[in-house]
Amino acid sequence: GDSVTQMEGPVTLSEEAFLTINCTYTATGYPSLFWYVQYPGEGLQLLLKATKADDKGSNKGFEATYRKETTSFHLEKGSVQVSDSAVYFCALSGRSTLTFGKGTMLLVSP
Amino acid sequence: GAVVSQHPSWVICKSGTSVKIECRSLDFQATTMFWYRQFPKQSLMLMATSNEGSKATYEQGVEKDKFLINHASLTLSTLTVTSAHPEDSSFYICSARGAGGSLGSGNTIYFGEGSWLTVV
């Protein structure tokens, strides 16, 4: 079945540091890939998505590129802010529902 | 703005009572809605998938008689936790996938804000 593996957290960074959260997947066919973010006390929000190979999703300074050859969709941001502290979930949408990774907590200190 | 609205955001109920959580899609028709449960420090666990007008499909290990799901219209699905117990206390999140259109494109799923349930 489909699966998503993402790096374990927490990831602790200082403000303005570069962020990478790794995500790899296993799926049949050609899934769409997503990053969702969950801020403390809130529900999930769609951060960005990519629907086919080599697509780059971007939003709020975050980027991720759909790499079919490496089955990866790593999340990056050039300069993180304290307000980026949250839990980030990588997910794929296959034929039916959404499969999530376990989430990676990001903590950004001033 | 939100495209999926979930209500209530938080609820406290007594053990043995039932609680209903609503999930509404705004601006698009949701042919499929999903209900997840999130345990502390863990990822989301899919509970069930519901298609409008038909019975929900429950994941293995989820009690269908305890977690009643109704998807009566293309914009509303409800989750009722019957005879709630403290171990049912959790964060419940719904999501919806549309039939098409500018927002509910078939391959994008939007989430509600989630509902915190505390059973005392």
Side-chain angles (χ1 to χ4, degrees):
Chain A
D2 296 346
S3 67
V4 175
T5 303
Q6 61 182 106
M7 60 191 293
E8 291 189 19
V11 173
T12 304
L13 295 173
S14 297
E15 205 164 25
E16 299 184 2
F18 184 86
L19 168 72
T20 299
I21 300 178
N22 290 335
C23 171
T24 56
Y25 68 91
T26 303
T28 55
Y30 303 93
S32 293
L33 302 174
F34 306 84
W35 277 100
Y36 286 88
V37 58
Q38 185 176 32
Y39 296 102
E42 298 183 18
L44 286 175
Q45 300 176 28
L46 178 63
L47 181 60
L48 54 85
K49 66 176 182 177
T51 57
K52 61 183 188 295
D54 300 325
D55 268 3
K56 176 185 284 188
S58 62
N59 185 27
K60 298 181 181 179
F62 291 90
E63 292 184 341
T65 301
Y66 190 145
R67 302 286 188 199
K68 189 166 177 61
E69 64 276 14
T70 55
T71 61
S72 65
F73 193 56
H74 304 322
L75 182 68
E76 297 181 336
K77 186 174 185 181
S79 176
V80 294
Q81 305 300 312
V82 173
S83 56
D84 293 326
S85 297
V87 180
Y88 293 82
F89 291 91
C90 183
L92 71 83
S93 176
R95 290 186 177 183
S96 55
T97 186
L98 209 55
T99 301
F100 283 90
K102 292 190 174 183
T104 302
M105 179 177 286
L106 170 65
L107 300 172
V108 181
S109 56
Chain B
V3 295
V4 175
S5 174
Q6 194 170 332
H7 177 82
S9 300
W10 57 270
V11 57
I12 301 173
C13 71
K14 291 184 177 180
S15 186
T17 61
S18 295
V19 176
K20 180 183 287 187
I21 301 171
E22 294 185 347
C23 180
R24 293 181 184 275
S25 60
L26 310 175
D27 300 328
F28 72 98
Q29 294 181 329
T31 53
T32 305
M33 286 186 168
F34 308 91
W35 287 95
Y36 294 84
R37 183 175 180 179
Q38 186 176 29
F39 295 97
K41 299 184 180 181
Q42 296 187 32
S43 184
L44 298 173
M45 181 192 79
L46 178 64
M47 299 175 67
T49 302
S50 72
N51 293 296
E52 186 267 337
S54 62
K55 290 184 178 180
T57 301
Y58 289 80
E59 296 299 302
Q60 191 172 11
V62 178
E63 300 175 62
K64 60 181 67 177
D65 294 331
K66 181 169 185 60
F67 299 99
L68 301 178
I69 291 172
N70 183 281
H71 193 162
S73 75
L74 284 171
T75 60
L76 174 65
S77 176
T78 60
L79 167 67
T80 301
V81 182
T82 62
S83 187
H85 291 284
E87 57 265 31
D88 298 325
S89 299
S90 188
F91 188 54
Y92 294 88
I93 306 176
C94 73
S95 66
R97 179 165 63 196
S102 60
L103 279 179
S105 57
N107 219 8
T108 299
I109 297 176
Y110 298 92
F111 283 82
E113 304 94 333
S115 300
W116 290 97
L117 170 63
T118 301
V119 184
V120 298

